[in-house]
């Protein structure tokens, strides 16, 4: 989730680990999309290139806490930037994924 990604990015050293969120493409021609929507907008190649860019582009070394729509920096929903919402979601996620003792 974008919101927890923003929270995690603040906790980690960006020289060692970066955390970014990506919307790689819209309605890629996957079996699920084609069966439910009936058409595609972007190609699988579009999504692949967007993901590879985040992994490999030298200009993104050390860039963290960002949201990308395909290969462009973009803005997420305004609530995703709210620290109180980030903390609530972080706490809920932690509670729901905690191992039983």
């Amino acid at each position: 989730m974008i919101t927890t990604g923003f929270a995690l990015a603040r906790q980690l050293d960006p020289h060692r680990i970066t955390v970014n969120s990506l919307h790689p493409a819209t309605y890629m021609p996957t079996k699920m999309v084609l069966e439910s929507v009936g058409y595609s907008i972007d190609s699988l190649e579009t999504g692949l290139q967007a993901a590879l860019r985040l992994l490999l582009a030298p200009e993104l070394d050390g860039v963290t806490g960002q949201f990308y729509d395909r290969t462009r920096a973009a803005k997420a929903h305004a609530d995703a930037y709210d620290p109180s919402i980030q903390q609530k979601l972080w706490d809920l996620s932690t509670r729901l994924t905690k191992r039983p003792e």
Side-chain angles (χ1 to χ4, degrees):
M1 291 189 116
I2 297 167
T3 307
T4 52
F6 290 155
L8 181 59
R10 284 196 314 274
Q11 298 176 40
L12 301 172
D13 177 356
H15 295 100
R16 297 185 64 212
I17 300 173
T18 59
V19 180
N20 293 296
S21 299
L22 174 66
H23 173 64
T26 299
Y27 291 153
M28 291 181 287
T30 62
K31 181 179 179 182
M32 181 176 70
V33 167
L34 294 176
E35 287 179 356
S36 63
V37 180
Y39 63 92
S40 64
I41 293 176
D42 287 325
S43 68
L44 293 174
E45 184 67 21
T46 297
L48 174 63
Q49 291 306 313
L52 288 174
R53 180 176 175 274
L54 278 185
L55 291 169
L56 303 173
E59 67 270 17
L60 296 178
D61 284 351
V63 174
T64 194
Q66 300 299 310
F67 171 64
Y68 294 90
D69 182 352
R70 297 169 185 86
T71 58
R72 298 180 319 270
K75 288 289 183 190
H77 188 281
D79 288 348
Y81 299 95
D82 183 325
S84 67
I85 292 174
Q86 291 174 5
Q87 190 61 52
K88 286 177 188 174
L89 186 55
W90 184 270
D91 293 344
L92 175 62
S93 298
T94 301
R95 192 169 67 249
L96 291 174
T97 57
K98 189 173 183 179
R99 292 181 107 168
E101 294 182 27

